[in-house]
């Protein structure tokens, strides 16, 4: 999944109306909640569930932690620097807490799950530590803190999918939203902490996903991103109703199709696809529906089969290349992005060259690139020495980044001179004279505002020039 870092600015008008209808009662009425999220989209999506749970108990959200009664930080453990960022941020909360000793400070998410009660010893200002499967317990845990205790719940679950909780859309543009379709991961890639912080893989009830997509569409949203660590292994078997025949299990291709049928005006994106599991059936489904975006995030990690084996990715270089060829054959206009790790345990210079040659083979549209960071408790940490010196990891990373820069530019240049269907997401970061939105291939497109069109509309934009990250054009409707 793509990794994001930003502050959730928490206000959602519609939902607050709804919360009032629910007539919350109790001692949390009017208390102010601030949530900040780090890490992948799943964490951002979880923060929306947390907000929903607490708004139902009478909380209001705030954008300013200094005025909050409850400050939550939803954390990521994927690399050491992700954790360091969280610790630095906690330091900044110290002075706010000194001024307002009643303030509850909570750590949620993957770092909470990884460190558990240890967190309370390491960071004195923290009052409550809550893992990703325990958010329903938050109101109760906050009460414990109100009574003068510290509180921890890091139980992982085999069933929890929060399927019945309607997320409060935080920091939303009102156009695109995330929908979690599964939780956890069963893959055990040797470098990865996620199976330990997120627990076992489980898929969410298909009907609840479709209902959420429908409700978003009815509320004016025009794009949903289906989220899971490995969406291709989505599998939901509907419960058998009394007197009825058992229904067939729903796989990811079926799910994509069902969500695509909500409306042709609703764009569908998804992340992350695992190279070992992405099937031709999924590719044909993407090809068949105009509203399923022609964009696949297919993390390769390494281009070398020996390293892939050590990483326990369960595919090799040839398998990955075959999957890319299948994408090119079945969905010729599809964009492909990736994740790369440089300097994994024992990686030789020649093996690193194979990552570069894989990049030349695929010509990725986009990539997230990382130097290997050993995570305590993972298979790699137990089995292999983290033996590539930091400067070599970094030099290899620079080579990968430079190559990707060239490829991104090359890929985006092919969009110049062509017309793209773009969903207007908002104003461009640089100027409110320009709109921004993405084309089908997930390329950011910037174009002058045209009074005939508003945020949430589809427009046709002619690409006129580009940088390596943005296509610049004008509306031709
Ligand atoms: N489920 C997704 C990945 C989630 S983590 C998938 O299988 O692709 C996002 C990315 O972080 C991974 O793809 C990997 O490239 C990177 N990553 C994970 N653990 C890492 C580590 N220990 N050091 C460096 N990068 C890591
Ligand atoms: Fe981590 Fe691998 Fe699972 Fe992705 S598929 S979350 S990299 S264990
Ligand atoms: Fe996501 Fe980071 Fe956890 S990438 S699953 S928030 S470790």
């Amino acid at each position: 999944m793509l990794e994001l870092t930003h502050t959730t600015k928490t206000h959602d008008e519609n939902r607050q109306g709804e919360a009032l209808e629910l007539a919350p009662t109790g001692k949390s009425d009017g208390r102010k909640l601030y949530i900040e999220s780090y890490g992948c989209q799943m964490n951002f999506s979880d923060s929306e569930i947390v907000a929903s749970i607490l708004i139902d108990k009478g909380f209001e959200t705030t954008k300013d932690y200094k005025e909050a009664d409850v400050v939550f930080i939803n954390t990521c453990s994927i690399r050491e620097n992700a954790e360091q960022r969280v610790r630095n941020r906690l330091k900044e909360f110290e002075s706010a807490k000194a001024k307002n000793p009643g303030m509850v400070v909570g750590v949620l998410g993957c770092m909470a799950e990884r460190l558990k009660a240890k967190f309370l010893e390491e960071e004195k200002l923290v009052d409550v530590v809550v893992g990703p499967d325990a958010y329903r317990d938050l109101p109760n845990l906050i009460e414990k803190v109100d009574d003068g205790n510290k509180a921890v719940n890091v139980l992982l679950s085999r069933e929890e999918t929060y399927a019945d909780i309607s997320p409060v859309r935080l920091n939303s543009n009102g156009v695109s939203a995330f929908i979690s379709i599964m939780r956890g991961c069963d893959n055990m890639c040797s470098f990865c902490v996620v199976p330990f912080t997120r627990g076992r893989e489980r898929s969410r009830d298909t009907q609840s996903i479709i209902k959420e997509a429908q409700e978003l569409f009815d509320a004016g949203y025009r794009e949903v991103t289906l989220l899971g660590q490995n969406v291709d292994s989505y599998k939901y078997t509907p419960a058998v109703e009394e007197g009825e025949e058992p229904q067939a299990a729903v796989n990811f291709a079926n799910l994509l199709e069902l969500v695509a049928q909500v409306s042709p005006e609703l764009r569908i994106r998804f992340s992350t696809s695992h190279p070992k599991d992405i099937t031709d059936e999924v590719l044909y489904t993407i090809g068949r529906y105009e509203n399923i975006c022609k964009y696949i995030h297919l993390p390769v990690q390494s281009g070398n089969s020996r390293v892939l084996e050590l990483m326990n990715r369960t595919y090799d270089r040839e398998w990955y290349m075959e999957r890319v060829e299948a994408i090119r054959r079945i969905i010729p206009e599809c964009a492909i992005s990736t994740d790369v790790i440089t300097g994994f345990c024992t990686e030789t210079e020649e093996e690193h060259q194979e990552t570069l040659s894989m990049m030349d083979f695929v010509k990725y549209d986009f990539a997230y690139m990382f130097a290997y960071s050993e995570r305590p408790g993972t298979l790699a940490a137990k089995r292999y020495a983290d033996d590539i010196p930091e400067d070599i990891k970094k030099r290899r990373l620079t080579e990968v980044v430079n190559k990707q820069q060239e490829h991104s530019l090359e890929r985006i240049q092919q969009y110049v001179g062509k017309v793209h269907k773009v969903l207007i997401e908002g104003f461009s970061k640089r100027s409110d004279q320009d709109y921004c939105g993405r084309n089908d291939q997930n390329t950011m497109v910037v174009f002058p505002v045209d009074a005939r069109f508003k945020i949430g509309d589809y427009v046709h934009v002619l690409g006129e020039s580009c940088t390596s990250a943005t296509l610049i054009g004008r509306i031709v409707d």
Side-chain angles (χ1 to χ4, degrees):
M1 305 239 306
L2 316 185
E3 200 194 333
L4 310 166
T5 304
H6 83 168
T7 307
T8 48
K9 298 193 182 77
T10 55
H11 255 291
D12 187 291
E13 303 298 336
N14 298 334
R15 180 64 200 193
Q16 288 197 335
E18 249 176 72
L20 286 176
E21 273 170 43
L22 292 171
T25 53
K27 61 181 183 175
S28 291
D29 276 4
R31 282 176 92 185
K32 290 201 167 69
L33 165 72
Y34 172 87
I35 310 185
E36 192 168 296
S37 311
Y38 292 81
C40 64
Q41 291 162 330
M42 190 65 86
N43 250 16
F44 284 70
S45 172
D46 281 0
S47 290
E48 300 187 330
I49 287 168
V50 168
S52 177
I53 290 170
L54 292 179
I55 285 173
D56 282 353
K57 292 287 172 199
F59 277 86
E60 290 169 9
T61 54
T62 172
K63 296 178 199 174
D64 180 5
Y65 74 86
K66 295 193 176 105
E67 64 157 45
D69 301 299
V70 173
V71 172
F72 282 160
I73 180 159
N74 197 353
T75 60
C76 174
S77 286
I78 200 81
R79 283 168 293 278
E80 196 176 342
N81 59 12
E83 293 200 348
Q84 199 47 50
R85 223 177 297 157
V86 166
R87 290 186 192 278
N88 295 342
R89 189 63 178 145
L90 282 170
K91 297 252 168 339
E92 292 173 24
F93 294 153
E94 267 168 17
S95 62
K97 176 134 178 164
K99 281 192 199 123
N100 173 11
M103 177 193 270
V104 177
V105 177
V107 177
L108 316 180
C110 291
M111 233 176 133
E113 191 61 52
R114 194 176 85 71
L115 291 161
K116 305 187 169 56
K118 258 200 298 191
F119 221 113
L120 296 175
E121 292 155 32
E122 290 178 18
E123 305 283 343
K124 295 286 180 235
L125 87 157
V126 174
D127 303 299
V128 48
V129 176
V130 190
D133 286 346
Y135 296 145
R136 286 182 203 266
D137 197 24
L138 276 169
N140 169 43
L141 296 168
I142 292 173
E143 251 178 55
K144 281 195 184 156
V145 176
D146 290 341
D147 293 342
N149 305 303
K150 300 253 173 183
V152 179
N153 187 344
V154 287
L155 287 176
L156 287 172
S157 157
R158 278 173 178 258
E159 288 95 34
E160 181 64 273
T161 60
Y162 301 109
D164 56 315
I165 295 180
S166 186
V168 172
R169 303 296 163 182
L170 299 172
N171 201 26
S172 162
N173 58 7
V175 176
S176 27
F178 298 131
I179 301 182
S180 273
I181 63 163
M182 53 209 295
R183 299 183 69 83
C185 184
D186 280 353
N187 281 321
M188 299 303 272
C189 301
S190 64
F191 51 80
C192 184
V193 78
V194 172
F196 303 95
T197 62
R198 293 262 162 187
R200 299 303 297 268
E201 179 186 288
R202 66 221 95 126
S203 295
R204 177 177 166 191
D205 181 342
T206 314
Q207 287 311 319
S208 77
I209 295 169
I210 295 164
K211 182 165 166 273
E212 191 171 329
Q214 182 70 55
E215 284 170 359
L216 285 163
F217 183 75
D218 294 343
Y221 286 81
R222 290 296 172 263
E223 181 179 87
V224 295
T225 303
L226 308 180
L227 294 182
Q229 295 298 348
N230 176 6
V231 289
D232 302 290
S233 65
Y234 177 87
K235 190 169 182 218
Y236 186 78
T237 312
V240 187
E241 302 288 331
E242 238 186 68
E244 286 189 11
E245 287 293 300
Q247 293 174 17
V250 180
N251 67 17
F252 184 58
N254 308 143
L255 178 72
L256 267 180
E257 179 145 35
L258 289 165
V259 181
Q261 286 167 352
V262 165
S263 165
E265 293 292 298
L266 183 68
R267 266 189 174 177
I268 323 300
R269 298 187 185 275
F270 53 91
S271 187
T272 298
S273 302
H274 197 299
K276 82 175 157 66
D277 292 322
I278 189 164
T279 59
D280 285 358
E281 188 192 4
V282 165
L283 301 181
Y284 283 113
T285 307
I286 299 168
R288 225 171 25 247
Y289 283 87
E290 202 257 342
N291 59 331
I292 304 180
C293 289
K294 309 297 177 270
Y295 167 61
I296 297 176
H297 184 60
L298 197 69
V300 67
Q301 314 298 1
S302 163
N304 171 264
S305 294
R306 188 190 73 90
V307 174
L308 287 169
E309 167 104 44
L310 290 186
M311 288 177 164
N312 199 25
R313 288 289 287 182
T314 68
Y315 55 85
D316 59 13
R317 180 179 171 91
E318 286 64 40
W319 173 278
Y320 187 91
M321 289 168 120
E322 190 283 324
R323 288 291 77 203
V324 169
E325 280 168 347
I327 296 171
R328 300 273 186 243
R329 185 174 69 243
I330 299 169
I331 327 165
E333 70 279 30
C334 194
I336 306 178
S337 63
T338 200
D339 294 345
V340 173
I341 298 178
T342 65
F344 186 66
C345 313
T346 72
E347 183 189 67
T348 65
E349 217 45 54
E350 291 71 36
E351 289 165 342
H352 163 64
Q353 287 300 325
E354 282 205 77
T355 296
L356 294 169
S357 70
M358 178 66 93
M359 294 174 76
D360 285 328
F361 172 77
V362 184
K363 291 234 164 73
Y364 293 106
D365 293 74
F366 189 82
Y368 294 88
M369 299 154 282
F370 314 102
Y372 173 58
S373 162
E374 185 178 80
R375 306 311 295 131
T378 54
L379 293 184
K382 286 183 193 150
R383 284 185 193 160
Y384 316 120
D386 179 12
D387 59 353
I388 307 300
E390 218 47 40
D391 57 333
I392 294 183
K393 285 183 187 170
K394 289 279 149 63
R395 195 255 303 145
R396 290 180 187 169
L397 179 61
T398 306
E399 290 173 14
V400 166
V401 168
N402 289 345
K403 186 171 281 295
Q404 184 52 43
Q405 191 81 9
E406 285 169 29
H407 290 164
S408 291
L409 183 62
E410 205 174 303
R411 297 290 299 178
I412 205 168
Q413 276 166 344
Q414 56 160 352
Y415 298 144
V416 175
K418 299 206 173 92
V419 173
H420 304 262
K421 186 173 171 185
V422 174
L423 174 61
I424 307 178
E425 289 175 24
F427 293 98
S428 115
K429 261 188 242 153
R430 294 231 178 113
S431 154
D432 57 9
Q433 307 293 304
D434 288 327
Y435 278 141
C436 69
R438 279 167 297 151
N439 69 359
D440 210 336
Q441 285 75 12
N442 208 39
T443 304
M444 191 46 88
V445 187
V446 172
F447 46 97
V449 168
D450 176 330
R452 290 174 300 161
F453 302 103
K454 58 182 191 312
I455 293 167
D457 285 346
Y458 289 101
V459 284
H460 288 96
V461 177
L462 172 67
E464 294 182 314
S465 63
C466 67
T467 68
S468 65
T470 313
L471 184 65
I472 300 149
R474 65 183 162 84
I475 296 177
V476 291
D477 272 321

